Amino acid sequence: MAGLISLGSAQGTILVQFPDASPRVVWLDNPARKYEGTRVKTQKSSLELPYPSPQLGDRLLVLNEKSGNVAIRLVQKLTPGGRAAAGDRTPPATWTLTPADDVAVAQVEIALSQGGKPVSAANIRVKDRQREQSVLLTPSDQGRVRFEIVAMGPIRVVVDYKTLEGDSKSTEQTFELERERTEVTPRFEVALSDSVATLGSSAPQSPSGGSASGSQGGEPAKTSTSSAPPASSPMQIVLVLAGLVLGAGLIIGGLALARRSPQQLEDALRRAGVKIPDPGEADPPAGPVTPAPMQPAPMQPIVLPDADPAAPQPAATMGPAAPNQPRLVLPGGGVLNLTEGTHLVGREPGLALSLPDESTLSRRHAEVVRAGNEVRLRDLGSTNGTFVNGVPLQGEVQLKSGDAVQFGAVQTRFEG
């Protein structure tokens, strides 16, 4: 490949020349090696980058922060030219940018809604003419996710979701990603017609059917405000006084009856549904009573690599799946066998499934309870939520074999 940059150069540089002095970010990457170099910011008309270790497949990317467009060029296709930098044995490879070199957009936002409300959970895929990217939408995303370095031209947005009835569905829309546009980060809206889990609530409706913040019949809608109570009428005052006199009479009559015939008063109270304690019952302790916590079946934590070797072995263990044993299959192929009882999941050391280094888990994130052949899952008020088949868990649910169970960003599969 004569005339192209040599991949065998021991030391080299790349000279990038820009058409104007807009703010830009320049960096090298190599998708095949999952490598990304240091990003360099500049507002000059040219930039010279060191390129000491050429590799096949290396790319040079230039982001125009003003437009949001990205120019991409394979380094091996740059032609040598210009002056040699001090200490270089070959002149730098030169790339003179033109608007036609913009082939991608730095970020693209996809907003997912249903009935005007943000959808809480789904799997969103974006397919351009070069690759496909996938992002899992969670409640913390507020119905919006972003994709990076999306090729210009037609893009297909595919949404996989689950309805409130539990049906798995998919929808697809095509959008055009243009070079010339008004937004630095273009946003595309996808609206679902099926009933799915959403966030928030719509504006309250007025009794006449109009929105509380709108207007109807030419008059501005009224908003509720605090006001003084209406003046009491003479009839209201009479009724209040009569009620007070009647109540006082009932109290006085009850006290007199208690003195004359306490057994008769007790019988009357029992007929009215009032519980009368037996004389042999102990007096309740003063102050609020805290119920004794239920004691789950004895269970020991998973022994982590840095745990004390003398620690007892866990009741719920990682290892090969036991025959006919309900279990959670973890990332990387690990298995959490679910024995009878309660199994806690979270970052806190000593839990049945303890992942201290997983930042998306709460200290006590969720619990899995097995009672016989039934296994139930309950979220413990975690920050990032618990999901079953992509749907955020509300309360608790009985797991079925094959369910995809996600704790924060940790994805598992239930088998049983």
Side-chain angles (χ1 to χ4, degrees):
M1 298 176 66
L4 302 184
I5 185 172
S6 171
L7 294 179
S9 303
Q11 289 289 334
T13 56
I14 300 174
L15 177 63
V16 189
Q17 297 177 335
F18 309 117
D20 54 48
S22 296
R24 288 179 169 86
V25 181
V26 183
W27 73 98
L28 288 160
D29 83 353
N30 191 319
R33 296 191 294 127
K34 296 184 179 179
Y35 162 78
E36 180 175 311
T38 303
R39 300 194 177 200
V40 180
K41 288 193 173 187
T42 182
Q43 283 189 267
K44 298 180 180 180
S45 58
S46 65
L47 176 68
E48 194 165 289
L49 289 175
Y51 187 51
S53 303
Q55 296 288 336
L56 186 65
D58 285 354
R59 304 186 307 174
L60 185 62
L61 295 89
V62 180
L63 163 63
N64 187 326
E65 293 186 315
K66 187 175 180 180
S67 66
N69 292 341
V70 179
I72 305 175
R73 179 72 61 88
L74 280 172
V75 175
Q76 67 200 70
K77 292 187 178 181
L78 302 180
T79 55
R83 62 177 179 82
D88 284 352
R89 289 182 283 178
T90 57
T94 303
W95 183 15
T96 302
L97 266 72
T98 66
D101 290 320
D102 291 340
V103 295
V105 176
Q107 288 190 330
V108 174
E109 184 173 282
I110 305 297
L112 188 60
S113 63
Q114 192 273 328
K117 304 174 187 176
V119 174
S120 62
N123 186 59
I124 303 177
R125 293 175 283 152
V126 167
K127 302 178 181 180
D128 59 23
R129 53 188 172 84
Q130 293 183 344
R131 62 171 181 164
E132 176 179 329
Q133 302 181 61
S134 177
V135 174
L136 181 66
L137 176 73
T138 65
S140 62
D141 296 318
Q142 297 295 311
R144 302 184 303 272
V145 293
R146 289 193 175 189
F147 296 82
E148 295 188 347
I149 315 297
V150 182
M152 294 175 182
I155 62 171
R156 292 193 304 158
V157 178
V158 182
V159 180
D160 304 310
Y161 60 96
K162 203 150 198 173
T163 66
L164 293 178
E165 292 77 22
D167 299 326
S168 297
K169 292 195 175 183
S170 180
T171 186
E172 179 177 321
Q173 293 189 32
T174 301
F175 302 94
E176 187 70 22
L177 192 55
E178 299 177 345
R179 178 180 290 112
E180 301 292 337
R181 59 190 185 279
T182 57
E183 312 91 352
V184 174
T185 301
R187 173 175 172 171
F188 299 106
E189 303 270 353
V190 178
L192 301 181
S193 57
D194 295 306
S195 296
V196 297
T198 58
L199 303 173
S201 58
S202 58
Q205 299 294 316
S206 64
S208 60
S211 171
S213 60
S215 61
Q216 188 171 5
E219 296 182 2
K222 297 179 177 63
T223 57
S224 59
T225 56
S226 300
S227 59
S232 300
S233 64
M235 180 59 69
Q236 289 176 319
I237 296 174
V238 171
L239 291 176
V240 170
L241 291 175
L244 292 174
V245 171
L246 179 60
L250 290 174
I251 293 173
I252 294 173
L255 293 174
L257 181 61
R259 292 193 188 95
R260 294 194 307 270
S261 178
Q263 185 61 43
Q264 184 178 354
L265 176 61
E266 181 177 322
D267 293 340
L269 291 174
R270 290 185 187 276
R271 287 195 299 271
V274 179
K275 179 175 174 59
I276 306 298
D278 295 331
E281 290 184 354
D283 293 335
V289 179
T290 303
M294 295 181 63
Q295 296 297 327
M299 179 177 56
Q300 299 296 335
I302 294 174
V303 178
L304 300 174
D306 56 349
D308 182 359
Q313 292 298 314
T317 60
M318 298 281 294
N324 302 320
Q325 171 102 333
R327 55 196 174 270
L328 286 177
V329 180
L330 308 175
V335 174
L336 174 64
N337 292 320
L338 299 173
T339 55
E340 192 82 10
T342 301
H343 306 266
L344 293 175
V345 179
R347 286 188 297 109
E348 182 176 303
L351 303 183
L353 178 55
S354 176
L355 299 172
D357 297 328
E358 179 52 58
S359 60
T360 63
L361 291 183
S362 298
R363 291 184 62 84
R364 293 198 170 199
H365 194 99
E367 67 177 12
V368 184
V369 181
R370 178 187 173 190
N373 294 326
E374 182 177 288
V375 177
R376 304 190 71 85
L377 172 66
R378 183 165 70 95
D379 185 83
L380 299 178
S382 63
T383 300
N384 293 309
T386 303
F387 306 84
V388 178
N389 298 321
V391 178
L393 181 59
Q394 304 290 339
E396 66 176 40
V397 66
Q398 181 176 348
L399 295 178
K400 302 184 295 297
S401 185
D403 281 346
V405 180
Q406 180 174 337
F407 307 100
V410 179
Q411 298 182 0
T412 69
R413 184 179 72 258
F414 173 72
E415 295 181 354

